[in-house]
Amino acid sequence: MELPFAESYKIKMVEPIRKSTRAAREEWIKEAHYNLFNLKSDAVYIDLLTDSGTGAMSDRQWAAMMEGDESYAGARSFYKLQDAIQTITGFSHFLPTHQGRAAENVLFSAIVKPDDVLPGNAHFDTTKGHIEFRKALPIDCPVEEAADTSVDHPFKGNMDLHKLETILRRYPQKRIPCVVITITNNSAGGQPVSMENIKGVAALAKKYGVKVLFDSARFAENAYFIKTREPGYAKKSIREIVSEIFSYGDFMTMSAKKDAIVNMGGFVAFRHEEDWKKCQMFNIMYEGYLTYGGMSGRDMSALAVGLEEGTDYDYLDGRIHQVAYLGQKLDEYGVPYQRPAGGHAIFVDAKKFLPRVPKEEFIAQTLGVELYKEAGIRGVEIGALLADRDPKTRLNRYPTLELLRLAIPRRVYTHSHIDYIAAALKNVHDRSKTITRGYEITKEMAIMRHFTVQLIPAR
Ligand SMILES: *Cc1c(COP(=O)(O)O)cnc(C)c1O
């Protein structure tokens, strides 16, 4: 008999979590104004709000924390992290920051000016925010397949090269500080970008004299998908693939809270010394001195180990298997989601799931609240609440896809938790025809409303 898949770690420390009654959850979600961000974590049994900073560190990472060097300048921890970054990414220089958006802030302060244009496969929301904040224009060029959740395509995160070239041709080179490749493509559902596509983007960027930035939060998961899905890469190691990916870039921004499996941290890494030098002043102003940026010494030490562990094949195999397993269960139950299963999350297709809820009543949010009431599981809405209002007309924007993202924290939940999640979704799905009404807004902020919005059941 072929041995079944099993995790490449065992559990040394546990954190109790508690189930609750449906009646209690109905009360809590009402008090939270039907906004899942407002729930206390103690009111949540399985928390799939995000995979950011929610991973479980290993014994080696905790040991590294004890050895952290808290010297203001020239700390050993900095050099450990530098070694890990140089070895794994091939970039020669780096600046530590407190998280991914801080890395964007430091880099974009140096290279982005008003009226600039930054094409990409699909910018992450903080990246978009940092570009627009500087009065520059982020342009998404996803491939068509990304918008259809039922199409099975191995690299739905790819950039549309024709759209990219049109932009590179239309705007002068001096207005394009870089092309941004986000790996994996979070907005498209944690979907990977192929090496072929990365090469294609790099070739076009070179032709037009433009630099390439990797927004790299999930670069290791992306490398795993290249190894397992792209012809010619099956025999290459994750590390070889990672270093090939980054060989096509000029710099990278990293949210270490994702694939580097730490609770907080990030960095910008550079191929060219002059770019690194241009960013130093901003790092000192916004983050901290050059050899600690926004991190404690102990955090840099844990991050150095996390980069190694996060690029280990057996670890990644377990991680991706777990997400795929949830996908298989949902297939079995007929629950619609963005196919194929992504690297870090399952994106449930709420429009297909709740066909009777009108879009004006926030379909994915309605599903999120139902799932919480059903089983104490917290996901996050990627739909009209997140899409916010048009800045000019102030009308609600209704995106093509209404998704409920169930992000899976790294090394945190077991197979039985996944079974529980799938069963809860099945139960809600079984009665989805009876769910006809959603929610209406009673209070919202001018921007980023989804974090604090208050809702009541639609009347
Ligand atoms: C999380 C993320 C960021 C921002 O990082 P933070 O650590 O949350 O500030 C940027 N880009 C991508 C693709 C991300 O997933």
Side-chain angles (χ1 to χ4, degrees):
M1 179 176 183
E2 196 182 333
L3 294 174
F5 177 79
E7 285 79 6
S8 61
Y9 55 84
K10 58 181 178 176
I11 295 165
K12 183 164 350 210
M13 190 191 283
V14 295
E15 176 183 349
I17 48 176
R18 277 183 193 87
K19 288 190 183 168
S20 51
T21 62
R22 187 177 176 103
R25 290 193 292 273
E26 281 179 357
E27 198 49 41
W28 291 331
I29 193 67
K30 187 174 168 198
E31 280 166 17
H33 302 281
Y34 301 95
N35 181 341
L36 297 152
F37 284 101
N38 286 338
L39 288 170
K40 288 183 178 162
S41 66
D42 283 343
V44 176
Y45 177 54
I46 297 182
D47 204 347
L48 309 180
L49 187 70
T50 177
D51 65 319
S52 180
T54 53
M57 292 211 297
S58 68
D59 52 354
R60 281 184 61 219
Q61 284 178 290
W62 282 105
M65 298 225 21
M66 295 305 292
E67 292 179 349
D69 175 0
E70 306 302 339
S71 304
Y72 192 96
R76 275 190 310 280
S77 299
F78 171 83
Y79 291 104
K80 275 189 189 160
L81 179 53
Q82 176 169 276
D83 255 2
I85 291 173
Q86 287 174 344
T87 309
I88 289 168
T89 70
F91 287 119
S92 49
H93 297 77
F94 91 104
L95 295 167
T97 63
H98 77 277
Q99 60 185 86
R101 68 199 70 185
E104 291 162 1
N105 189 29
V106 168
L107 177 65
F108 292 166
S109 292
I111 68 167
V112 177
K113 51 188 194 313
D115 290 329
D116 277 357
V117 175
L118 289 88
N121 47 344
H123 295 84
F124 183 70
D125 47 12
T126 61
T127 319
K128 191 169 282 173
H130 272 294
I131 293 169
E132 287 175 343
F133 182 71
R134 289 172 174 81
K135 310 249 180 299
L137 181 67
I139 304 179
D140 288 348
C141 312
V143 289
E144 305 269 311
E145 290 87 349
D148 186 344
T149 58
S150 60
V151 175
D152 249 315
H153 181 288
F155 293 103
K156 271 187 174 176
N158 281 354
M159 187 145 19
D160 184 322
L161 298 180
H162 290 290
K163 284 186 205 155
L164 174 62
E165 183 153 27
T166 312
I167 294 162
L168 293 174
R169 220 182 281 134
R170 185 181 315 150
Y171 297 96
Q173 178 199 2
K174 62 176 192 303
R175 282 181 60 192
I176 309 180
C178 59
V179 179
V180 184
I181 310 180
T182 304
I183 49 176
T184 55
N185 185 334
N186 194 349
S187 316
Q191 299 290 326
V193 180
S194 70
M195 193 72 87
E196 188 190 6
N197 191 252
I198 291 172
K199 280 187 204 169
V201 173
L204 280 177
K206 193 167 176 199
K207 179 171 162 192
Y208 291 89
V210 168
K211 286 181 174 165
V212 173
L213 165 65
F214 282 103
D215 181 357
S216 324
R218 302 181 183 84
F219 72 94
E221 292 174 7
N222 201 99
Y224 176 91
F225 285 119
I226 289 175
K227 181 176 169 72
T228 52
R229 292 182 184 172
E230 190 161 350
Y233 286 92
K235 294 227 166 68
K236 294 216 153 96
S237 70
I238 296 290
R239 296 281 175 77
E240 284 168 330
I241 296 170
V242 166
S243 76
E244 182 179 344
I245 292 175
F246 288 128
S247 74
Y248 298 111
D250 298 280
F251 20 53
M252 68 182 281
T253 48
M254 179 70 190
S255 168
K257 303 168 70 169
K258 323 283 174 50
D259 272 2
I261 330 178
V262 290
N263 303 117
M264 194 52 76
F267 59 86
V268 200
F270 307 86
R271 178 159 326 283
H272 316 287
E273 192 177 357
E274 63 274 18
D275 288 330
W276 172 64
K277 284 194 171 148
K278 263 203 266 180
C279 289
Q280 286 182 340
M281 178 179 78
F282 297 105
N283 208 62
I284 293 175
M285 276 202 314
Y286 296 141
E287 292 295 302
Y289 180 65
L290 302 175
T291 59
Y292 72 85
M295 278 185 281
S296 311
R298 55 181 172 269
D299 288 338
M300 289 191 285
S301 290
L303 171 50
V305 178
L307 281 170
E308 262 180 49
E309 293 183 353
T311 49
D312 175 70
Y313 175 79
D314 286 338
Y315 152 72
L316 283 166
D317 197 36
R319 161 117 184 109
I320 306 295
H321 256 88
Q322 192 176 42
V323 179
Y325 175 70
L326 177 54
Q328 277 164 27
K329 284 271 162 199
L330 298 187
D331 285 340
E332 222 173 276
Y333 300 150
V335 175
Y337 64 94
Q338 169 74 297
R339 306 180 54 89
H344 66 290
I346 289 283
F347 292 68
V348 181
D349 188 330
K351 265 193 194 170
K352 288 189 184 153
F353 196 115
L354 295 178
R356 302 182 65 185
V357 177
K359 69 176 193 303
E360 293 77 11
E361 295 178 6
F362 306 107
I363 308 167
Q365 181 68 14
T366 304
L367 180 56
V369 172
E370 283 303 317
L371 183 62
Y372 172 71
K373 287 199 284 194
E374 175 70 27
I377 298 165
R378 171 160 68 174
V380 71
E381 186 248 24
I382 313 270
L385 281 179
L386 181 71
D388 223 310
R389 290 176 188 274
D390 183 287
K392 292 212 179 82
T393 66
R394 299 305 298 156
L395 294 172
N396 277 314
R397 286 191 283 215
Y398 295 104
T400 329
L401 292 177
E402 282 276 341
L403 303 168
L404 178 68
R405 186 183 79 173
L406 305 175
I408 313 291
R410 293 166 181 79
R411 305 192 288 209
V412 169
Y413 292 116
T414 64
H415 252 49
S416 2
H417 291 120
I418 301 289
D419 286 333
Y420 179 96
I421 297 161
L425 274 163
K426 178 185 187 303
N427 289 350
V428 180
H429 195 240
D430 286 349
R431 58 179 165 83
S432 61
K433 293 228 161 50
T434 66
I435 304 167
T436 57
R437 301 302 305 268
Y439 293 86
E440 54 189 69
I441 294 177
T442 54
K443 249 192 200 154
E444 66 183 289
M445 292 197 320
I447 46 165
M448 303 284 242
R449 67 176 181 186
H450 58 289
F451 287 121
T452 54
V453 71
Q454 298 190 357
L455 303 159
I456 51 165
R459 282 157 298 188

